[in-house]
Structures are given as structure tokens and as C-alpha cells.
Amino acid sequence: MEIILFYLVALVAVISGYLVIRCKSPVNSALGLVNTFFCLAIYYVMLHAPFMAAIQIMVYAGAIMVLILFVIMLLNLGTEARQRYTHGVVWSAIASLLVLVNVVYFLKRGRVTGAEGDITPFKIETLGHTELIGKTMFTEFLLPFEIASILLLVAIVGAVVLAKREV
Amino acid sequence: MTDHLLSIITYFPLVGMLVELFLPREADRLIKSVTLVVTLIVFLASLPLAFDDVFINSAAMQYTEFANWISIGQYFQMNYFVGVDGISLWLVLLTTFIMPVTVLSTWHAVDRNTKGFMALLLLLETGMLGAFIALDLFLFYVFWELMLVPMYFMIGIWGGKNRVYAAIKFFLFTAVGSLLMLVAIIYVYYFSVQSGIPFDNGFGITHFYQLDIPAHVQAWLFAAFALSFAIKVPMFPVHTWLPDAHTEAPTAGSVILAAILLKMGTYGYVRFAIPLFPVATMQFTPFLAFLAVIGIIYGALVAMMQDDVKKLVAYSSVSHLGFVMLGVFAMNLQGLSGGMIQMINHGISTGALFLIVGFIYERRHTRLIVDFGGLSKVMPVFATIFMIVTFSSIGLPGTNGFVGEFLILVGAFESELRTFAVFATTGVILAAVYMLWMFQRVMMGKVTNPKNEKLKDLSAREVVVMLPLILFIFWIGLYPNTFLEKMNPALDNLVSQVKGKQQVALMAEDLDQSVTKVIINE
Amino acid sequence: MYDKLWLIPFFPLLGSIINGLLGKRFIKNEKVIGAIGTGAVFLSFLVSCKYFFQLLGDSVKTHESVVASWMSVGNLQVDWGFLLDPLSALMIMVVCGVGSLIHLYSIGYMHGDEGYYRFFSYLNLFVFSMLMLVLGNNALVMFVGWEGVGLCSYLLIGFYIEKQSAGDAAKKAFVMNRVGDFGFLLGLFTIFWTFGSKHGVWTINFVEISEQAHLLSGDTVLGLGVTTVATLCFFLGATGKSAQLPLYTWLPDAMEGPTPVSALIHAATMVTAGVYMIGRMNVLFAMSPTTMAVVAMVGALTAIFAASIGFAQNDIKRVLAYSTVSQLGFMFMAMGVGAFTAGVFHLMTHAFFKACLFLGSGSVIHAMHHALHHAHLDDDPQDMRNMGGLRKKLPVTHITFAVSCLAIAGIPGLSGFFSKDEILWYTFASTRGMLIVWIIGAIAAAMTAFYMFRCLYMTFYGQQKTDPKAKDHVHESPWVITLPLVVLAFLATVGGYVGVPEALGGHNQIHHFMEPVFGHAQEVYHIAVKEAMHHNPIEYVLMALSVVLALIGIGVASVMYMKNPDLPAKFTAKFAKLHRWVFNKWYVDEAYDALFVETTKKLGIFCWRGFDVKVIDGIVNGLARVVGACSSALRHTQTGLFQNYALTMVLGTVVMVAIFILN
Amino acid sequence: MENLVQIALQNVNMAAILPSLILTCFGMGLLLINVFLPRGTTRHAVWISLIGIVVTGFFIVTAWGQPQYGFNDAVAMDNFAAFFSIIFLFAAGLSILMSDEYLTREGYPVSEYYPMVLFATAGAMWMASGTDMMTIFLGLEVMSVALYVLAGFFRGQIRSNEAGLKYFLLGAFSTGFLLYGMALIYGVTGSTKLTEIGIYLNAHGALLENPMTLAGLILLSIGFLFKIAAAPFHMWTPDVYEGAPTPITAFMSAGPKAAAFAAFLRIMEYCFFSLKPEWTAILWVLAVLTMIVGNVIAISQTNIKRMLAYSSIAHAGYALIGMVAANEIGYSGILFYMLAYTFMNVGAFAVLVLAGKKGEDNLTLEGFSGFGYKRPFLGVALAIFLFSLMGLPPTAGFAGKFYIFAGAIKAGYIWLAVIGVLNSAVSLYYYLRVMVYMYFRDPAEDYAWVSMPATVVISIVIAIIGVFYLGIIPGDVMEYAKLAIF
Amino acid sequence: MISVYHYMSVAAILFAMGTYGVLTRRNAIVIFMCIELMLNSVNLTFISLSSYLQNMDGQIFVFFVMAVAAAEAAVGLALMIAFYRNRDSIDVDDVNMLKW
């Protein structure tokens, strides 16, 4: 039952991913991307990470994609002009295929061997995912969290400096 | 005082240079005078070395100074380790002696940007002296590279038409060689550390002499050193930078280049390449001697056909230094001391020749032989001096050139290089051919070119410049013992060391063979 | 005591320095300069006399005096040392004697030349070098003189710097001498090295060499005996210095120099250095019959070859030059057959009469020059075809010239007869003698007589062919010129009587005088007159024969150039080809040019333009160009397009992964 | 709830992040102050940020020798980090000194510039001091984002935009690989803490054969190799360096490069020391490739800024030799080399700042004809920096090269060292050519004396002092570099 | 049962697709979206791993990745706008002034 769902979602995700990289119009690509995000969110749920799923929707589908779409509208970009330089699409295809092959090769040969933690699905059920995340983040990963805040600050200021019309 | 004598004479020019940097660039005379005074002081300060009889009795390093310079525990250590022995002694003195002469000679030659020129001269002197006194390979390398920079600018800024090409060629040729040498130096260092030489020794060569490096390794290391020095010497076939550099460089540059910089190469062989890698030396000797002889004849032949006086002298340098190399690789006392003497000779004679070319160039702004002719009628004093120098360069007995060449050939004849010596001797004939032909075309005959009719004879300054050189031409020619007696102990020691190690190596080889024979027989 | 030997070369050196440095600026006055120059040589002549007679009286005949050490490097010890023995004693007498006469002569001859001080400075310097050569007690000091005289001849041949030909001649002389010196050095090295390495005797001192020579008897080098190799090398040196085949061509050209120079350097002294050197090393030469034979043959061939060229020369000095070459050939014949004394004897006599001849010709030229100059003509004052009949105008010159001619022709009673005859006798009778050499020698002697008298007649007899305008201006030269002529003529006459052979009831003093130098070698290596020839009447036959030959030569000459002067023209017309060859000196110079000079030049050009520029720099610059090409090629991979960059990154990744998989 | 606080606080160790903390505080403070500062000039901002840098530097120096760990092994302010932090501070300080003049000339006197530099520096510090992949990653991002902004800082200048955009796109792209690598490593070891990863990998030998580990290793490296600008991930470098504002180019060529090296070194040494043979083999190839590409292409450059960009690629190659050597000497060699490189390269760019006219069209070789006579001081300075870049004694460049080659030779990589020296022989050519134009050509146009702003001169002088100090008496600094190795 | 490898395979495919998009699309914004796609595939990997290994770190990491993505989006889009203002295009083929 679950496996079917998995493949279904996978199919959707891949197709919408395909849309992202093939659609002529950026808007369509954007929509395809949103679609992918949703599929991933579903996966997150299946992986006992409901909180991540939520953020996935909020941050990505909500914030980032809106921003992107906004920019697309702002610059009202139609379908992109046909390519003027030979980028060797073939090469690109080969390259990315090779990447895929590599990764898959590693996955087939490789083993996930990390040390088992104690955060069992059961624990998640009982304690609640959000709290777990929160705990870990504010105890173990306090510093990265802070740094992330600086990062966002930099991004904001930078965006302002760059996009502002006049000094 | 005396225990820091070497450092003093080495860094005093640097101080002078710094002083000059703060002088107004317009004050030409002042700057020149300062430079002259500085170089003279250095020369006077270096005289005690010449009169110190310790060199007659001892082959050891004298006036040594040792100080820890860089020391990174277990990584590496470099020391400020300097000193002179009979080998470097005369080269140091040659340097300190040539510099004032050069400065005086270039009094009117350099018209624009005198400040820069003089500063570079002084920097160069520091570099050269440092390279001659350094007993720590790292230190040596530092000075060795330091010399390139001033020379590069001298050629490039004050040079002739084709100066850029010449300057870059000079720099690249020399640098390529020395960079490979750097690798070899580092390798030798770590080898020494592994073979348990005290860490405090750093790159000190005195301990490196004791190393016994496996033959095949030696071959590589020697090749690296030899290439670097061969380029500097310059030996055939890596000599082509020399004619360009000489032709384009200003007089002072050519003089220093010929008189001292080229000696770096030959000195490098004597001080570093050969004693550090005696076994490899043994293997390479025939090859290098061959190149040397080729250089002698080849240089002479090419020199013969030159139409530019300076180029001619440049190629004659190739020939002369071929003699030096032959003598050095004869690896016996006569050959080596001949080589050393010939180094000094070449410094003096060829230096003088370049000065002479400079004199007529200042007057006529051409160096082409065809533009001259019959000068001896117009400028008799010049003619006399030119004549003397020419014959010293030909190696006429009684002048310095003969002593050097004779000792070298005797040495070569006593060594295994007999056949080479025979061919080298033909160089004696060719030398006469090209020098005299040039002399005839420049000085003899009728004054064909009206421009030459009212050339001024040498000024008092120019005569003063030449006289000391001529003095030494005859001194070395008539009583070389002054110089020989001080260099012989060191050279003797060198020969015995190198020969000893070579013998050991040979015996080991024979032993192996005999052992294998035995095994085969059984 | 002999420790003042150094004085002998010292005076001329001093004179040379004084004249050279102060002559132009301070002294200026010709008289003083001349006096200094001549005085210096004369002083050393006096000293030489002192030592000469001291040596005569002395029982010990070999004396060395070391002034200072020159080079001392390990086992190579070279001193500034002098050696006085009969040989060198004789030589210094000749050099200083003839030298001072010629200096005296030059005072008059060079009068008014703007290079006056220079001339005397050089001339003194030459005498100095020559004395070093003669007195040196080891090969190296000798070599100093050896090259020194070369230098001076270079300077003096090129004395008229304005003349292109003079410069060429000077260069030619020096370079050819260098070729000889090359040989000399090689010989020296061979000896030094074999002595040292084989027998532990590290020496180049003549006395020691002669004493130790026997050690070398066994040694070989390149399959030949060491002595043979070494002496052949030395002989090469000798041919260069003494203008023997094949290195003789510089001497005739050397006549570009002032006549006194030709007389002193290219007749009396320097050119005989080779002979002297062989004499000095007689032991080594004696040890190698091969070399001796070579020497003899070369000498003989040179003698006849040069003589043949002398037939057709019209320049008076050139005739004399070729005769010099020929006479030197005789000396080498003597050396070659082991008649060392005879060789040295001829050297001496030759110095007298040839110097006299040259100075005589100089006097003629001097006169002619003045005359032509006075008449504003630019005919060649040296061309005999412009002379003739000068005997009335220049009586003294004529007499002395004639006497010397007789002497050189070998007319009995004059010096030339004794020396030349002794040589011929030895070539015939010595244990090392060879009939062929004797035959050639005899013919050469006859030819000598012929061309010398041809010269004499063309110059002084017949009717004067000088341009009428100049005719009356030809005058006899001043006493400073004629006096030396007279003295030399006198010596040329009587000089021979120190060597009157026993056969003629003489005592051959010179032979006994030289005994200590040559005797040793001669007896050890059995060089002497063959047993059969002792007190053999054939000696008289030969003597008579040579006289007859000389007379024939003279006779032919007088027939051709006195009786009916149109004969020579007939001959030349008849043997046109032959004449052209002879006249052009058998085209030897041309051959040398084509063979050596041009090839060397071509080689030089090839090395420079072909190898240096094309190959080496070609490689270097080519390398640079290749790197540059790569650079501009690679540069364009940097397309500036984002996606190419990204693609490169991805591919790079993939490649790295691939490498990993392969590892 | 309160126990949570305790858990949180017991890991907190401010000393471990003090420098970056101070720096960020100054940055944020500056952002606030900017509001009140007069527009049109940035002088005050310069001084404030300089003070910040000096203060930070002071704290780092005083903390030398007492490593501080904290935040549950997310960060370690050890000597290694300290040494690199000093490098970043020098880079930042020197480029800030030259910025004011430059911004005014180019017409963008915007004070936000300086906080950005400070943040970038802080990010670099986190990279250097991070011992957790997250810290490193975030530090990297802070630095990069700030640099994207700075590279494209001149909104109106198309080249600046382009530089920013290219840098951004490629940077983000490489981030993808970096993250994927981290993910795989996480999967293999189950941790993001470097030490734990290292121990885990070392303990389970089987993992070394696990392809996933290797994949992780490679993808991880790519992120850093990109920042280091090692071929074939170097291609952004010339374009971005050329387009970005010169002071930023100076900073980028020194600071971020060093930061990337720091993080790369730390990860390789902490996590993958058991895989040394594998990654040294790869880096060997990359080092050679990088040197060759950098030097060879630099030869045919006519724009000096761009030429220096290629030369910085080449220098990255030299530094990689130190990593290939993978012994103490090599590592400390990298530290030393980075410091030396900071001085000489930033100094060179400082000269360019003064040499350039608005729009910097004149930074071509032709434009430098007779420069040495036009501006004697600048000429000499540039000459010194170039000689140092060549690696000629007695300059920092030589000492650095020597240090690194010594490491390589000690480790037995003779041929690598030989290739290295041959490459620097090639590099001689293009450096010399600059001097050919500066001194061997006469000035194209007649020139007047131009007054030089103090700040830039100061930065140049500091750089010169640094070059010679590290060249003539490098002993002390080398000693520090030695102590800085873990 | 769904193993972690299933998820990771999906992630791998998405990653490759993202790469392909980056390499082939012209429009800078679309390229950026493709990069986002890559990042998401990484996220998926992280989360699948973390739930498989049963520890939180992976998810925290994803959290930060999202933050980074947001930051990059802001700056990147700003850069694109600035570029667009000057060139009236965000076609990466127009980002070609600096080359060679």
C-alpha cells in the first residue's frame, strides 16, 4: 500500500521536475517546481518528519516560490529566446546522466552505515516532532542557528543594497 | 671588527643604496660620488683579506660568521653562515675591486635616471658578495637569485634597442636553472637530516661535504646543480642568453656581468656541485669537459665572424670560460688553480675589453666594427691600452691570460682529459685570430670614416679606470704566486677530498663486480 | 759569477719602456730616442761580451741563475731563470751584436718617421724578448721570449699602421706563429706529463730535461715514442717561427715592415729561434731518428722550394726574404742530420751576411725612396726593375752587398762557404745523413748563387732604369747607415774562420766550443761522421763540387743579366706557364686561403647564423612560442558563458569520480 | 523548560566565537550607525570597521595558545582557526583601507559595503573554526552571500552585475554538490561532527571501501575546490575578479581562498585522514592542472586585473601542493603561504586601485607604459609585489614557496615539486612583462604628480612591510604556522 | 517495505535533473529554480537518512539548507533584477562581457 504511494509520488515528482527543466515559460517551470516541493513534503510526512513537511510547504512553496514568481512577473519574462550559443546540450545531458549513473552506482554499491540514533518513530509520536527539533536545535545546534540569523540579515541587507533604485 | 668583516663589506653597499634612495633624483653628481665612495670603502675594507697570510697555510674557512637565522623545529633550519677560503677569497676581492672601476667608468655613460642605476649597482654588489661568501646553501640561493633583479633592470632600462628581449631572456634562462637547483637543495637538505647530520647545521655545506649520497641520486642532484651553473657560466649550448645580454646591457652592466656574474657559475661548480657530488662529478666529467671544449672552439669561431665588437667579446667569454670549466674538471691542482686564475683573468681582461668598447661607444654611439678603423692614429693612448688588453685576452706570456690557460692545459694534460686538452689548445690559435682581426679592423689602417677623424683620446678619468686593470694584467702575468699561494691550500684540500670519495666509490664498484664474479663462478 | 745574467735582457726592456712611455710626450728628440734605444742594446752587448769571455775561460760550461719563482702550483715549479752555456752565449753575442748595429742603422733609416719613438721601443722590446728566448733556463721562459718575439714582429710588421697590407701581414705572421706555438705547447705538455707521471720528474727545466731524457726512451704515446711525438710537436713550433714548410708564407709578407726590422727579426735573429730551440733540445731530438729525418727533409725541401720562388721575384726585399727561408732550410738540414754545430754555425754566418744584405737593400730603398719622393713619382722604390746601375751612385752599399752575395753564394774564403759546406758535408757523411738531402742541398746552393747574383746585377749593374727625373737624386746614405754595412760585410767575410774544418787544416773552434752542449747527445746516440768518411778524400771532392755549383749559378746569372739582358724575357716567354707558377709562388697563399681561412670563416658563419641563431635560439624561442600558443588557445576556453563553466565543473566532478573508481 | 536552558547554556562558550562575535557586532552596529552617518562619504565607516578589525585581532592574538571549544563541538577556536582568522583580518583590513577612495571614485559611496565585508570575514572565521559540518556550511554561506552582494555591488556597472550574477549562480550550483556530499557523509557516519566522523571512519575500516564515503568525499571537496579556484572549478575566478570592485577582488583572492583552504584542511584532516592515499592522489592531479592552467593562460592576458586573477589560480595550485604533501610541513606551509599571499596580492591590488581611472579601462598592459616613471612609489611597490608573487628571495613569496616545496619534497613528491618550480618559471614571464611595460617603456601620455590618499598608501606600506618581514625573517611566523597545525 | 535507498534514488534522479536544467536552460531564474531543485533533492536525502538513522541532525541540517535557500533566493533575485535593469535581459547568454 505505502509502496504504491511512494512510487506514485515519485512519478509525480519526477514528471514535475521534468516540467521544471523543459517548460518554455518560466512560470510553468515555477509551477512544476512547486509541485515537486509538495511531493517532497509528502515524502517528509512518510518519513515521520511532519514538521519538516510543514516548513517545506511554508518556506519553499510559500516564501521562495512566491518571491521567484514575483520577480518573474516583475521582469515580465515571456518564453525565453532560443539559444544563441552552442552549450552542447548533448554534453550537458551526458554529464548529468553520468552524475546520475555515478550516484546510483554509489547507492547500489554503497551502504548507509551511520550509527543508529535513539529517535525512533515511536518517540517522535510520543514527544512530538516539533519539540524534538526545537530541543536539538537550541541545545546542540545553537551556534548554527545563530549564524543562520546573521545569514538572513546579510541576505536582506544585500538584497536591499542591490535592488534599491537610488542610493 | 674583523670577525664581522665579511658582513660589513657585504651589507655596506645595501646601506649605501638605502641612503641613495633618499637623495634627490636630480643630484646626479652627488649620487655618483656617493656610490663611488661606498664602493671604494668596501674595496678598502676588503683589502685586509688580501694581505692575510692565514690562507697560505690553512684550507679552512676564515672570517666565518655563524648565526641562527630561521629555525622551525624538526621542519628545517637556515643559518646565516658565511666565510671565505682561498677559493672565494679572490672572487670577493675581484668583486670589490671591479665595482669602483665600473662606477667610475659609467660616470658619463648613464645619462637618465642615474639614481636608479647607482642604487641597482650597489644592490648588485651586495648580492654578488653575498653569493661568494655564503656557506649555507639556502643563504647562497637567496643571494644567487637576488643578483638577477638589478641586472634585469640594468639591461632592461639602460640597455640598447633589443633590450627587452635580452633582459627577459637573461632572467628566464638563469631562473629556470636555479629553480631546479632549489629543488635539489631541499632534497639534499632532507637527505642530510635523515643521515643524521646535526639539525643545527641547517643547510651548511661544510657538513654536506661529509654526506655520501648514493650514486644514482647524486647524478640527479648534480644534474640540477650543474644545469643551473652551466647556464650561468655559460656553457655551450645554453650560452645564447649571454651575447644578447652583453650586447644590450650598458657598459657597466656588461662589465659586471662578464667580470663577476659569470664567475658565479664556475664558482658554483667548484664550491658546491663538485664537492657535494663527487661521484656524479666523476660520471659527468667527460660530458662536461666535452661541452667545455666545444664551447672553447665554438665560441671562438662565432666570435671571429661577429661584426659587433661587444658581441665578439661576449662570444670570446664563452670561449674563455670553456677553458675555466676544462681546468675545473681536470680535478687536479694545476687545473683548478688555473681555472681560478683564469676566472680572475677573465674578470679583468674581459671587463677591461667591455670598458674599452664602452669608451668608443660613448664617443661614436656605434659598436659596429665597420664604423671604425685607423683609430690608433687618432687616439694613441687608447690604442696602447687596447693593445695590451687584447694581448692579455689572447693569452700572451707575461700577461695574466697566459698563466691561466697554461695551468689549465697542464692540468688537463695531467688528468684524463688529455685529448680534450689537445683540442682546447687550438683555441689558443683561434683566440689570436679573432682578437687580432678585430683589433686590426678597428685600430689599424687608414681612418676611413670621417666621423672618426677628430675623436678625443682617453680622458684622465678613463685612463685612471684602466690603469688598475692593466696593473693586474701584468701582475698576474709576471708573478701569479701572490694569488696562487693563497688559493692552493684550499684547492689542494678540495682535490684530495673529491678524489678520495671517487676512489672509494670506484673501489666499491670493483668490489661489487668481483663479488658478483665470485658468485657467478660458484 | 753569473748571477747578473738578468742584466742582459734588462737593458733593452728598460729602453723599450722609457721610449714607449716617454718618447712621444717628453723626449721627442729623435737623437735622444735613438741614443737610448741603441745604447740599451749596446750595453747588453757589453755585458754579453763579459759573460761570453768569462765562459770561454771557465771550465764549467753550464750556468743557471734564477731570479725569482714564477708559478709554483703543486708539482709544477716554474722559475724566472736564465741559462748560460756556449749555445746561448753565442746567441746573445749574435743578437746583441747584430742588434746594436741594426739599431744604429735605424737611427738613420727611420729618420723623420712620426712613429720614431714607437719603432725604437718595439725594437728594444724585441731584443729583450729574443734574449729571454735565448737565455731562458726552462721551456716556459723560453716560451715567453718565443711569443714575445712573435708579438714584436707583429708590432713591427704592422708598424706602418696606415697600410692595409701591413696589417694583414702582421696578423698573418702572428697567427702562423701561433700555430707553431700550439705545437710547442703540446710538445711541452707531453714532455712534462710523461716525465712527471711515468718517472716522477716534474720539470720543464732544460738542464734537467737533457739529463733525464734517457728515462723517456721506453715510453710511448699513441703508439709512437714519446720523444718522437714531443719533438715533432716542437718542430711544428720551429717551422712556424723559422718559416719552414708548411708555415713559411708569412715571412715574405713580413717584408711589409721597415727594412731594419726585416734585417734584425726576419733574417738575423727571430727566424733562427727554431734552429736554436732544436739545438737547445738536441738530446730529445737526437733520441728520435724519425724526427731528425723529418727535420732534415723539411729543411731540404724548404731550401729548394724557397730558392725556386726566389728566381722570379722583382721586389728586392722579397728576394732576400725567400733566400732567408731557403737558408733557414739549410740550417734545419744541418739539425736534421745531427750536425747541430754546423747548423748553429750557419745561423751565425747567415746572421752576418743576410743582415748585411737586408741593410744594403734598405740603403738602396732609402736612396730610391728619397729620389722618387724628390721627383714626386710613386714608382715602387723596392722594385728592382726600376733600379740598375746603382753601383756608381751607392759605392759603399754596392761593395758590401756584393761581398755578402759572394758569402751567401758560398765562394771559398768567405764565411758562407765554411758553414754551408760543413752542412752539406754532414748531410752526406753523417750517420744520420741522407744522400737525397745532400743532392737537394747542393742544387739549392747553386740556385742560391744564381738568384742572389741576379738580384745583385739587376740592382747595381747594367744601365740605370730609374725614371730619368729621379736619376740624379739617388745619393749614398749617411754614415749611420753605411757603418753597419761595412762592419757586417767585414763579419760576413771573416766570420767563417771560427769554423774552418780540419780538412782545410783549421781547428774548427766553434765545434769545440759547442762540444759541451751537443757532444753528449751526439756520442750517446752515435751521431757523428761515418767511420768510412774519416779523412776521406771525398770531402775535398764535395767541397770542390759545391764551389763549382756556386760558380755555375753565378755564371748563369751573369750570362742572363749582364751579357744579354733580353734572355730572361725569352725564357719567361718560353716557359710561360712555369714562370707564372713560380712568379705566383706556386699559389701556396691562395691554396692556404681556400683551404683554411675560408673554411674557418664558413664554419664560423655556420656556427653563428646556422647553429646559434637558428637551432639554439630557435628552440628557445620556439618553446616560448609554443607556450604562448597554448595560452591563447586555452584562453578561449574561458568563453565567459556561465553554462560552459558549469558544464566544466560537472565534467570535472565526473572525471574525479572516475579516477576514484579506477583507483 | 529551565532544564532546557541549562542544557543549552552548558554548551555555550562565548570565548570560542568571541572574534566572529565582535566582528558581527561591529557589522550590525555599523548598519545602524549608517542611518545617521552623512551620505556621500564612507570615511567614518572605514574607521569604525577598522577599529572592529583591530579589536578582533587583539582578542585573537591574546587568545593564542588557549584553544576554546564550545557549542557542543560546533566550533573550536584553536591556533589553526586563530592563524587563519588573522589572515582574514589582514585581507579585510587592507581591502577596507583601499575601499573608501575606490568607492568614491567609482561613485558608489555606500556604507553598507563595510558591514558586508565584516560579515564575510566573520563567515570566513566560522569556516576556519567550525568543527561541525553545519557550522562550516553556514559560515561558507554567510561568506558567499556577502561576497555575491559585494561582487555585484556597483549596481549600475554592467561588469559588476555580471560578476555578481556569475559568482552567485556558480556558487549556488557548487553549494548543491557540497551539500550532497555532506548528506552522503552524514549517511555513512550518522553524524555531522568532524571528530565523530573521523573516529567513526577510522574505526570501521570497511567504510573506506564504501563507495558512498568516497562519493561524499569528492562531492564535499568540490564545494571547497570551487572556492579555492582549483581547476577545473576555477572558471568563475577570472571573470568575477575582473568584474568585481578591485578592493573586493583583493579580499576575495586572499580571504575566502584562505577560508576555503582552512575548512578543506580541517575536514580532510579530521574526517578523512584514514583516506589520505585516495585524496592526495586526486589532489596531485588537480594541483598540477591548476598550476598549469593558471600560469599558461595568464601569459596571454592584457588586462592586469585579469592576469592577477589567473595568477591567483596558479597560486592556489602551489598551495594545493602543500595539501598533497599532507605532512606537517606542507600544512603549515599552506598557512604561511596564505598569509604571504595575502600581503603580496592585496598589495598588488591596492596599487591597481590607485593606478586605475574611473571604470578601470586603463588597467591594461599598455596603460601601464612607463608607470614606474609616472608614479615612482607605486611602481616600486608593484614591482616588489610582483617579485614576491614570482617567488624571488628575499620576499614572502619565496619563503612561502620554499616552505611548501620543502613539504612536498620531504613527503617524497619530487616530481610535483619540479613541476611546481617549472610552473613558477613560466609565471616569471608574465610578471616580468608587467615590469617591462612599467619601466622599459616610456610613458604614453605626459603625466602630472597625483596626490595619493593616505589610506591606500598605508595599506600598500603595510603590505610591503609584510612582504619583506615574511621574506627576510620569516622564522617567527613560520613557528606560529607550525604551532597552528592540529 | 520502502528502504532508505528508494528515497535516495528519487533524490538522485531529481539531483541529476536539476543539474541538467542548470546546464541547459537560458533563463537565469529558471536556472536558479533548477538549483533549488538540486537543493531539495539533497533535503530529501538528508531527511530520509536521518529518519533511517533515527537521529535529528539531518533534519536540522535541512532546516538550515532551507534558510540558506531563502537567503540565496533573496540575493540572487536582487542580482538578477540589477542585471536586468542594465541589460534588459536575464538570459545567461547575455552574461558574457567578461571572458578570455
Side-chain angles (χ1 to χ4, degrees), chain C residues 252-317:
Chain C
D253 296 6
M255 295 306 135
E256 292 293 342
T259 314
V261 173
S262 319
L264 178 57
I265 301 184
H266 306 122
T269 52
M270 174 182 118
V271 286
T272 61
V275 183
Y276 169 77
M277 187 259 283
I278 293 182
R280 186 42 81 207
M281 305 193 174
N282 58 73
V283 183
L284 291 175
F285 279 83
M287 284 172 70
S288 160
T290 335
T291 320
M292 297 279 278
V294 172
V295 175
M297 276 320 290
V298 169
L301 290 174
T302 315
I304 188 162
F305 187 76
S308 72
I309 300 176
F311 277 12
Q313 298 303 317
N314 293 325
D315 180 326
I316 181 167
K317 282 179 72 179

Side-chain angles (χ1 to χ4, degrees), chain A residues 143 147 150-151 154, chain D residues 16-28 53 56 60 75 77 81 85 88-89 92 114-130 135-136 138-144 146 251 255-256 259:
Chain A
L143 181 66
I147 299 179
I150 301 292
L151 174 62
V154 173
Chain D
I17 58 165
L18 192 58
S20 42
L21 199 59
I22 298 168
L23 220 49
T24 38
C25 292
F26 265 89
M28 290 185 281
I53 285 171
T56 322
I60 294 173
V75 63
M77 194 63 202
S85 308
F88 308 146
L89 288 179
Y114 298 95
M116 283 294 165
V117 176
L118 294 188
F119 288 135
T121 317
M125 287 187 181
W126 286 316
M127 281 176 80
S129 59
T135 327
I136 293 176
L138 283 164
L140 178 77
E141 280 308 316
V142 172
M143 187 180 77
S144 314
F251 178 63

Side-chain angles (χ1 to χ4, degrees), chain D residues 291-435:
Chain D
M291 289 187 291
I292 291 176
V293 167
N295 282 322
V296 169
I297 302 187
I299 286 178
S300 59
Q301 294 305 317
T302 52
N303 178 324
I304 291 184
K305 214 170 152 188
R306 198 172 173 82
M307 187 204 84
L308 283 175
Y310 281 108
S311 94
S312 88
I313 296 175
H315 282 275
Y318 300 135
L320 275 176
I321 292 181
M323 279 197 77
V324 177
N327 54 10
E328 285 188 327
I329 300 183
Y331 288 158
S332 48
I334 294 178
L335 268 62
F336 183 84
Y337 197 75
M338 278 299 136
L339 185 59
Y341 183 68
T342 308
F343 284 121
M344 51 200 188
N345 211 36
V346 176
F349 278 112
V351 175
L352 292 194
V353 164
L354 283 185
K357 297 189 174 60
K358 189 176 193 318
E360 295 195 326
D361 307 326
N362 65 329
L363 289 187
T364 61
L365 284 174
E366 282 305 330
F368 266 68
S369 300
F371 184 71
Y373 305 113
K374 279 191 244 173
R375 317 279 296 270
F377 170 71
L378 294 184
V380 173
L382 187 53
I384 291 171
F385 297 130
L386 289 178
F387 276 123
S388 179
L389 287 165
M390 289 183 206
L392 239 59
T395 58
F398 172 68
K401 276 215 183 85
F402 177 87
Y403 209 149
I404 286 190
F405 289 149
I409 290 169
K410 182 111 190 280
Y413 291 100
I414 311 288
W415 286 112
L416 187 55
V418 169
I419 295 172
V421 291
L422 288 182
N423 266 286
S424 43
V426 173
S427 75
L428 291 176
Y429 176 73
Y430 57 84
Y431 293 124
L432 286 177
R433 206 169 41 146
V434 178
M435 272 174 276

Side-chain angles (χ1 to χ4, degrees), chain D residues 40-43 46-47 94-110 113-114 154 245-247 349-358 360 375 378 450-460:
Chain D
T41 172
T42 62
R43 181 125 310 150
V46 171
W47 297 122
L94 292 177
S95 29
I96 284 177
L97 268 172
M98 70 181 93
S99 297
D100 174 44
E101 157 78 3
Y102 187 80
L103 294 180
T104 331
R105 187 183 79 208
E106 300 291 330
Y108 291 89
V110 180
Y113 174 95
Y114 298 95
F154 295 164
T246 311
F349 278 112
V351 175
L352 292 194
V353 164
L354 283 185
K357 297 189 174 60
K358 189 176 193 318
E360 295 195 326
R375 317 279 296 270
L378 294 184
V450 192
S451 72
M452 292 185 287
T455 49
V456 192
V457 174
I458 293 172
S459 65
I460 292 178

